[in-house]
Amino acid sequence: MDDIARDAGVSRTTLFNYFPSKDDIVLAMASSFEQQFPERIRASCHSPASTRERLADIFREAAHYFTRHRALNAVIYPELTRIRGGRDRSNRQVTDAYREAFTELLQIGRDQGDVRSDIASDILADMLWSALSTGLYRAFGEHDKKRDIEAAFADYARLMADALAPPR
């Protein structure tokens, strides 16, 4: 809490004037990314690129965000997992926003002919969301404190692009 107050340029007491609890701070900090990133996925749909290139950009941008704020995110995301426990309404809303954005990306990829059509879009969107969220979990898990986030996310993007490609 002292670190967050210092980084915000306020006293700990002032910080608690805005946020009644540590959980409220964690949720507020996470919600910014959670609300903006599905919009970033949608924005990528308008680029004149292949789905493979879009995925590389999306995963690279996520890695860059988490690398840029690594110390803070290393505290926020485990706490977020604890607070939400994977079962509350806000967690479902976040998941649904990502799935919808990924479904839009997949449809454009299908229209371009570079995304397979033999598997339902909702399953492929779940796969993309799972890769992104697993990357976050592993990046900030206790066992991966020194993990190269950017390299790992590039691997996730490449794996997902290969899985999405139409069968040969």
Side-chain angles (χ1 to χ4, degrees), residues 48-98:
S50 69
T51 302
R52 178 176 292 279
E53 293 164 328
R54 287 184 186 108
L55 287 174
D57 287 345
I58 289 165
F59 278 75
R60 185 175 29 258
E61 189 171 323
H64 180 69
Y65 172 84
F66 288 103
T67 300
R68 190 174 57 234
H69 306 290
R70 187 176 188 118
L72 186 58
N73 286 318
V75 173
I76 290 174
Y77 281 87
E79 281 298 302
L80 189 62
T81 300
R82 178 191 62 77
I83 293 166
R84 290 188 174 161
R87 291 183 291 275
D88 76 4
R89 179 182 160 107
S90 62
N91 198 41
R92 181 167 175 87
Q93 290 172 330
V94 168
T95 299
D96 288 348
Y98 277 92

Side-chain angles (χ1 to χ4, degrees), residues 8 20 28 47 100 108 111 114 118 130 133-134 141 162:
S47 72
E100 289 170 15
I108 289 169
D111 293 346
D114 65 359
D118 60 328
S130 294
S133 58
T134 298
D162 289 346

Side-chain angles (χ1 to χ4, degrees), residues 140-151:
F140 300 114
E142 287 298 317
H143 56 288
D144 281 337
K145 291 219 183 263
K146 297 188 188 299
R147 185 177 182 91
D148 182 342
I149 295 172
E150 291 183 11

